[in-house]
Amino acid sequence: VWQKFGVKEFGGKEEFQQEFIRHVETTLARSMYNCDDLAAYQAASQAIRDRLIVAWNKTQQKHTTKDRKRVYYLSLEFLMGRAMDNAMLNAGIKDITKSGVADLGFKIEDLLEQEPDAALGNGGLGRLAACFIDSIASTNYPGWGYGLRYQYGIFKQRIVDGYQVESPDYWLTFSNPWEIPRYEIQIDIMFYGYTRKYTNDDGKVVHVWEGGEQVQAVAYDVPVPGYGTETTNNLRLWASKPTREFDFEKFNAGDYESSVRESQKAETISAVLYPNDNFYSGKELRLKQQYFWVAASLNDIVRRFKKTHRPWKEFPDQVAIQLNDTHPTLAVVELQRILIDMEGVEWDAAWNIVTNTFGYTNHTVLPEALEKWPVPLFTNLLPRHMEIIYEINLFFLQKVEKLFPKERDLLARVSIIEESSPQQVRMAYLAIIGSHKVNGVAELHSELIKTTIFKDFVTIYGPDKFMNVTNGITPRRWLHQANPKLSDLIASKVGSYDFLKDLNLLKKIEPFAHDPKFQDEWVTIKKFNKARLAAHIKQSNGIDVNVNALFDVQVKRIHEYKRQQMNIFGVIHRYLSIKAMTEEEKKEATPRVCIFGGKSAPGYYMAKTIIKLINAVSEVVNADADVGDLLKVVFIADYNVSKAEIIVPASDISQHISTAGTEASGTSNMKFVLNGGLILGTVDGANIEITREVGENNIFLFGHLAESVEDLRHKHRFSDVPLDPNLEKVFNAIESGTFGDPNIYVSLISSVTGSDYYLVSDDFQSYLDAQKLVDQDFKNKDTWVSRSITAVANMGFFSSDRAIDEYAESIWNVEPIAME
Ligand code: 26Y
C-alpha cells in the first residue's frame, strides 16, 4: 500500500517496478532474464536515486529562492556506510520497494548486501559528520556537507595468522548510483609558486600568488534525504583531475609519458583517505588534500554568495561554516585571502567577516593528534597563506600584548607559530583565533579543553567563546534501520514512529519497564538480534556462540587510550579463573561471549600487537574443552558501519573503558544503549552524561576519575608502583607461553609494567569488580530487562537532531526551512 509517508514522490509499487525494469533494460543495458542481485541492486538504487534527485532539486530551488542563511559542514571524513536502506527508510518507500522487488523474484536483503560500504572516514569523527548531515536534512535546515571523494576509503582488514593485514578499499568498482558527477563544476586549484606585491594605480599594495602547479577540482554530489520530510540536502565531494591544459607542450613535443605522469599526480590528491585516527603525521600530500578541498569548497560558497549581489559585510548573515576539527582550518586563511587579495576588502573588515563565519569543533585533547605543520613545508606549498598567517598572528599577538602587557611568556605560549626547529604552525590555535565559537563534544571534554590545552585562550577571549555541544547519533540509522523490530515494538507503545524525529518520546516506554508482556517482547527481540550476530560470527569466524550467553562487545578503532588491552587482559583473567573452577562453580558462572572489532592504523605497532593478542587468546580459549560455553572470544574482522548495524543491536554489555579524560565523547556508547545494551565504562566522555540520563543503576562505572590521572601518572614516573596482583597473574600466563610466542607481547606488557601511561594497572581491580557485578546482575533476568528498557527510555537527549539544534541556535544562527 502506498503510504502517505512516501515523501519523495513514488506513485506506488507498480511505478517503482516500471522504473526498476526501465533501469535494468536501459541504464544497465541488461535483460530482466539475465538480472543478478548486483544488477537488481543497481537498478533499484537508480529508481530510488531518481526520486531523491527530484526532491533534491526542489529543496535546492526552495533554499535558493528563500535566500536564507546556510550552514556548511566541512569534514575530511564522512563515514556514510551504505545508502540504499537509509534512503528507502528516510523517503518512506521501503515497503513498496521491498514488495516491488519481491514480485520480480528478489529479496531486498540480498540486494542491500550488494552495496559497498562507503567508508570515507576513520572512526568517531567521520561517523559524527554522517549523523550530522542526516539530522540537518531531517530537521529541515539548509545545509551542505563538503568533503573529499576518496577513490580508496579506509583499508579493508583481514586477519592472517592473528595479525591485521590491510588491503586497499577501491569502493568505486561498479558505478556509484548515489553520486551525481557535476563535470560542469570545475575549479582550478593552485599549489607552490611564489608571491609578489606591487602598488596599483590607486596607491594600494596588491599581493599576488602565481606560478605554481595547478589541478582541477570536480564536484560529485551525494543527495542526503531527510527522514519524513521532502528536504534533501547535498553532500558535495571533490575529486582532483589534471587541468585541461596539463602539459600541452610536453604532449605536443611527443613526451607522452611524462605528460601522463603529471596527470596521474593530480589525481593522487583525492586518491586515498589517510588511515590515522587521532594521530597526526605531517605528510605533504595530506596538507595538499586539505588545501585542495578547502579552496574548492570556499570558491563554491563564495560564488553562491556573489550571485546574491550583497555587500561583503553580509557574508556571515548568509553563510556559517563549521570546521570539523582542525583539518579544514586553512579555510580561515583562504577566506581572508579571497577577501583581501581578490575582492579588495580591507584587512580588518575582512577579518571580521572571517571570524563571524567560522565555528571550530575540537574532538580530542590527545597531544599526538594535534596538527602542527612545519613552516618550511607550509611556505613551499602555500606561500601566500603563510604570509597571511604571519599577519593574523601579528595582529593577534599585538592584541594580547595590549591586554596583558606584563605577561611575556603568554605571547610565546599562544603564538600560532611554535618556536621549535623547524618552526611549526599550530592549527588548533589558528582555528580558535579565526572562529567566533569553539566547542568540545561532551561536557567533560569541553571543560578539559578550557582548563588544559586552550586555557590561555580562555584568559584572552573570556569563557563565552568556548562552549559544549554534546554529540549525538541519528536514531534513523542506529535504531530504525539497524534494529527494525525494536523500532516497531517502541512504536506500538509510543503510538507512532514520531520518536524517530523527536527522540524524547522514548520516555513513553518507561512505564512498561516492568510490564511482563513488554519485557518478553523486548527479550525476544534482543535474542533475535543476538542470533543474527551469532550467524554472522559462525559464517565469518567459524565459531559457535551460545545466544543465551552474555554478549560483551568492544568495537571501535584500536588505540591504547581506548584500552582494548585492558579488556583482553580481563578476558585472560576470566579464562584463568574458569580453569581453576570446580564443576559446581562452573554451574554458577555466567557464560560470556567477548566480541572485539576494530582497525589499527597500519603503522601503529602497539595497536597491532593488541589485535594479535586478542586473536591468540581466542584460539586457545575457544578450543579449550574445560571452558565450553562459559567463554568464547571473537575478533570480527573489518569492522565498519554495516557491521556495526549488526553488532550494536546484539549486545548485552558494551565496553567504553578509555582512561578517564582521554575519550572526548564516544558515540558508539550512545548507539549501544539506544539498542537496549548496558554500558561497562569509565567516568569519561559522554558516559558521564549517559549516566545522568539513564540513572546510575543502569550503567556499570569503574576506574579512576579524570582529575586523578595526572597524579597517578606522576607516581608512575617518580616511584615504583607495584603491579596489580591479578594483572601480574595474567602477565605470567602470557609470558609462560599460554598464548603462543611470548616475545610478541614484550613491549605491550612493558608499557604497563613501565610508565603505564594509560593506567591499566591502576584501574584493573576496579575493572574486575565491575565485571563481577555484571556477571551477577545478568543472572537476574527481570531486573536486567527492566534496566535495559529504562535506559532506552531515557536516551532522547542523544539524538543528533538535538545536537544540530544546539549548533544551529548557538553557533550558526540558521533556521529551518519547511518544505511545502
Ligand atoms: C590529525 C589527524 C590525522 C586526525 C585524524 C583523525 C586527528 C583526529 C582524527 C579523528 C578523531 C576522532 O575520531 N575523534 C573522535 O571524535 C568523536 C566525535 O566527536 C568522539 O566521539 C571521540 O571521542 C573522538 O575520539
Side-chain angles (χ1 to χ4, degrees):
V1 191
W2 167 238
Q3 330 157 258
K4 154 104 185 51
F5 217 178
V7 286
K8 306 288 196 288
E9 310 196 332
F10 249 124
K13 183 164 88 174
E14 286 70 29
E15 189 184 311
F16 165 77
Q17 289 174 325
Q18 284 165 17
E19 295 284 290
F20 176 91
I21 294 166
R22 186 176 65 79
H23 279 298
V24 170
E25 293 181 344
T26 61
T27 312
L28 304 177
R30 303 269 291 250
S31 120
M32 282 299 289
Y33 299 102
N34 170 27
C35 180
D36 54 13
D37 281 349
L38 176 61
Y41 152 71
Q42 287 174 327
S45 308
Q46 290 288 349
I48 296 162
R49 158 202 144 120
D50 289 348
R51 301 297 114 187
L52 298 193
I53 292 176
V54 173
W56 184 96
N57 268 318
K58 263 180 140 174
T59 307
Q60 298 314 314
Q61 261 169 43
K62 174 117 186 180
H63 290 178
T64 305
T65 24
K66 283 267 172 179
D67 195 26
R68 297 238 291 272
K69 188 171 183 180
R70 281 198 178 97
V71 58
Y72 298 102
Y73 198 79
L74 265 58
S75 180
L76 255 193
E77 306 189 6
F78 285 92
L79 198 42
M80 301 293 285
R82 288 173 173 152
M84 183 166 158
D85 204 9
N86 182 251
M88 291 188 298
L89 289 167
N90 278 17
I93 55 179
K94 182 155 182 181
D95 291 347
I96 56 166
T97 314
K98 184 175 173 166
S99 98
V101 297
D103 293 351
L104 299 168
F106 299 99
K107 283 220 301 252
I108 191 83
E109 294 77 18
D110 297 340
L111 304 201
L112 295 176
E113 278 298 308
Q114 299 299 316
E115 182 176 354
D117 184 288
L120 309 184
N122 275 288
L125 169 148
R127 183 55 228 177
L128 186 76
C131 284
F132 276 8
I133 57 174
D134 178 272
S135 281
I136 291 171
S138 297
T139 49
N140 293 314
Y141 287 106
W144 284 29
Y146 273 111
L148 274 186
R149 180 180 177 273
Y150 302 108
Q151 288 176 291
Y152 294 88
I154 186 80
F155 62 85
K156 296 232 177 257
Q157 178 196 55
R158 280 171 303 137
I159 301 299
V160 178
D161 187 27
Y163 287 102
Q164 166 172 305
V165 175
E166 302 94 19
S167 47
D169 168 39
Y170 188 75
W171 67 293
L172 296 164
T173 310
F174 307 102
S175 73
N176 174 9
W178 305 106
E179 67 183 10
I180 308 152
R182 299 283 187 200
Y183 298 118
E184 74 283 8
I185 301 180
Q186 306 202 337
I187 299 173
D188 285 330
I189 310 291
M190 186 160 75
F191 301 104
Y192 307 106
Y194 53 88
T195 63
R196 271 188 309 114
K197 63 179 171 189
Y198 65 93
T199 311
N200 70 6
D201 296 345
D202 305 338
K204 230 183 124 179
V205 178
V206 181
H207 291 263
V208 285
W209 171 30
E210 53 194 24
E213 175 184 304
Q214 290 224 351
V215 300
Q216 240 172 32
V218 180
Y220 286 77
D221 287 346
V222 181
V224 182
Y227 173 79
T229 168
E230 199 171 10
T231 300
T232 303
N233 282 337
N234 196 23
L235 169 59
R236 177 158 286 179
L237 303 177
W238 299 105
S240 56
K241 294 275 151 68
T243 48
R244 242 163 304 156
E245 307 78 25
F246 83 94
D247 271 356
F248 203 58
E249 274 172 37
K250 273 188 195 160
F251 196 79
N252 270 345
D255 192 359
Y256 306 131
E257 275 180 40
S258 79
S259 157
V260 168
R261 214 164 27 242
E262 286 296 305
S263 96
Q264 282 170 345
K265 216 171 97 194
E267 282 173 9
T268 60
I269 293 177
S270 62
V272 43
L273 166 82
Y274 276 91
N276 295 331
D277 183 277
N278 272 302
F279 185 79
Y280 166 73
S281 69
K283 295 276 190 296
E284 179 176 58
L285 182 59
R286 168 82 175 189
L287 188 61
K288 256 183 145 167
Q289 289 187 332
Q290 293 185 349
Y291 180 65
F292 170 81
W293 150 65
V294 152
S297 307
L298 268 181
N299 184 296
D300 211 37
I301 294 167
V302 165
R303 186 171 45 82
R304 203 165 296 126
F305 174 76
K306 284 171 91 168
K307 281 202 231 161
T308 69
H309 301 290
R310 284 186 163 79
W312 281 110
K313 69 169 175 7
E314 288 177 22
F315 190 81
D317 305 329
Q318 292 296 107
V319 173
I321 303 178
Q322 193 64 27
L323 306 172
N324 199 22
D325 215 293
T326 55
H327 317 157
T329 303
L330 278 169
V332 166
V333 191
E334 177 70 357
L335 182 57
Q336 182 72 2
R337 186 185 73 85
I338 292 170
L339 293 172
I340 62 172
D341 290 359
M342 324 281 283
E343 303 292 340
V345 181
E346 293 299 326
W347 179 281
D348 287 347
W351 187 243
N352 239 322
I353 292 166
V354 169
T355 52
N356 283 314
T357 299
F358 289 103
Y360 156 51
T361 306
N362 171 280
H363 295 266
T364 186
V365 296
L366 302 183
E368 67 270 28
L370 299 179
E371 292 188 293
K372 294 178 185 179
W373 292 100
V375 168
L377 184 154
F378 204 114
T379 311
N380 183 44
L381 187 70
L382 300 165
R384 180 61 187 136
H385 294 78
M386 194 64 238
E387 291 174 357
I388 294 172
I389 290 174
Y390 280 129
E391 293 277 284
I392 294 171
N393 199 35
L394 180 71
F395 291 127
F396 170 67
L397 293 179
Q398 282 171 352
K399 176 174 129 176
V400 176
E401 194 170 27
K402 247 204 201 125
L403 284 170
F404 306 93
K406 294 198 186 79
E407 302 207 36
R408 297 302 305 176
D409 319 346
L410 180 63
L411 294 183
R413 287 207 305 273
V414 299
S415 173
I416 297 171
I417 308 297
E418 182 173 288
E419 293 301 330
S420 45
S421 69
Q423 293 177 314
Q424 315 239 308
V425 185
R426 295 157 160 168
M427 299 306 271
Y429 292 5
L430 180 56
I432 296 171
I433 296 165
S435 302
H436 64 289
K437 288 277 173 183
V438 176
N439 77 283
V441 290
E443 277 176 19
L444 174 68
H445 168 64
S446 298
E447 279 312 306
L448 283 174
I449 62 177
K450 283 201 282 183
T451 51
T452 63
I453 54 174
F454 302 151
K455 184 165 172 255
D456 290 324
F457 291 90
V458 177
T459 313
I460 293 165
Y461 289 110
D464 292 351
K465 181 161 178 165
F466 296 83
M467 53 179 290
N468 172 248
V469 182
T470 298
N471 283 165
I473 56 171
T474 169
R476 273 75 65 181
R477 184 176 291 260
W478 297 113
L479 178 54
H480 195 46
Q481 183 185 325
N483 200 344
K485 287 182 193 291
L486 194 66
S487 186
D488 291 348
L489 177 62
I490 293 169
S492 76
K493 294 300 179 201
V494 173
S496 71
Y497 289 88
D498 288 355
F499 62 96
L500 295 171
K501 274 182 118 33
D502 176 3
L503 202 60
N504 289 314
L505 290 173
L506 285 177
K507 256 293 188 199
K508 291 199 174 178
I509 65 167
E510 193 158 15
F512 301 96
H514 299 277
D515 176 322
K517 183 162 171 287
F518 190 72
Q519 286 187 343
D520 263 3
E521 294 174 294
W522 195 269
V523 169
T524 306
I525 290 167
K526 181 59 80 179
K527 229 182 231 144
F528 171 87
N529 289 327
K530 287 169 77 171
R532 183 171 67 162
L533 176 58
H536 176 82
I537 290 172
K538 176 71 183 169
Q539 207 197 359
S540 56
N541 299 58
I543 302 169
D544 287 298
V545 299
N546 175 2
V547 292
N548 295 313
L550 188 162
F551 277 25
D552 167 343
V553 181
Q554 188 179 19
V555 283
K556 48 183 85 229
R557 286 299 288 254
I558 312 292
H559 210 300
E560 285 166 282
Y561 87 82
K562 295 177 189 282
R563 298 202 291 192
Q564 284 94 351
Q565 72 276 41
M566 186 162 79
N567 186 347
I568 194 64
F569 296 153
V571 171
I572 295 173
H573 179 268
R574 177 178 297 270
Y575 174 61
L576 299 176
S577 313
I578 293 171
K579 295 290 277 184
M581 278 179 190
T582 64
E583 287 308 309
E584 281 308 297
E585 287 169 327
K586 281 187 183 171
K587 277 188 202 129
E588 290 302 303
T590 305
R592 273 227 198 196
V593 181
C594 299
I595 298 161
F596 293 81
K599 293 175 185 177
S600 157
Y604 190 171
Y605 174 77
M606 209 62 105
K608 288 191 150 179
T609 307
I610 295 170
I611 293 177
K612 170 68 180 171
L613 179 58
I614 295 167
N615 284 302
V617 172
S618 168
E619 272 211 10
V620 171
V621 169
N622 297 348
D624 192 329
D626 294 350
V627 174
D629 261 0
L630 282 184
L631 180 60
K632 286 278 177 286
V633 183
V634 180
F635 187 92
I636 297 180
D638 202 41
Y639 178 61
N640 60 16
V641 171
S642 304
K643 290 203 178 157
E645 288 164 18
I646 300 168
I647 296 168
V648 168
S651 91
D652 295 305
I653 279 285
S654 68
Q655 300 199 31
H656 309 274
I657 58 178
S658 49
T659 310
T662 63
E663 188 72 276
S665 161
T667 45
S668 75
N669 43 7
M670 302 166 189
K671 294 166 197 165
F672 281 102
V673 181
L674 186 61
N675 283 279
L678 301 183
I679 285 179
L680 168 59
T682 45
V683 186
D684 199 19
N687 290 354
I688 298 171
E689 288 148 86
I690 293 174
T691 307
R692 184 164 70 214
E693 296 296 311
V694 306
E696 44 189 356
N697 291 328
N698 300 317
I699 187 165
F700 298 90
L701 292 180
F702 72 95
H704 286 97
L705 304 184
E707 62 217 40
S708 335
V709 165
E710 217 184 313
D711 281 353
L712 288 164
R713 283 181 179 161
H714 188 87
K715 270 192 202 136
H716 280 285
R717 270 201 297 277
F718 295 103
S719 59
D720 261 333
V721 182
L723 188 64
D724 176 273
N726 283 307
L727 195 54
E728 192 169 352
K729 286 181 206 154
V730 168
F731 288 173
N732 288 339
I734 297 173
E735 281 163 349
S736 69
T738 312
F739 307 104
D741 182 359
N743 292 314
I744 297 168
Y745 309 108
V746 168
S747 60
L748 182 61
I749 289 176
S750 63
S751 73
V752 178
T753 55
S755 66
D756 198 13
Y757 189 76
Y758 296 103
L759 308 180
V760 172
S761 175
D762 302 78
D763 277 348
F764 200 63
Q765 188 55 51
S766 169
Y767 177 61
L768 295 181
D769 293 344
Q771 284 282 25
K772 199 165 173 185
L773 205 57
V774 170
D775 283 323
Q776 283 166 8
D777 288 6
F778 191 68
K779 290 186 201 165
N780 193 338
K781 298 293 175 202
D782 283 359
T783 332
W784 189 276
V785 61
S786 68
R787 289 161 98 180
S788 164
I789 296 166
T790 308
V792 174
N794 288 287
M795 284 299 285
F797 180 74
F798 300 100
S799 169
S800 44
D801 298 349
R802 184 269 315 150
I804 287 304
D805 279 335
E806 288 184 20
Y807 278 98
E809 166 99 24
S810 57
I811 302 179
W812 303 335
N813 195 25
V814 294
E815 272 164 26
I817 301 177
M819 294 299 286
E820 275 101 33

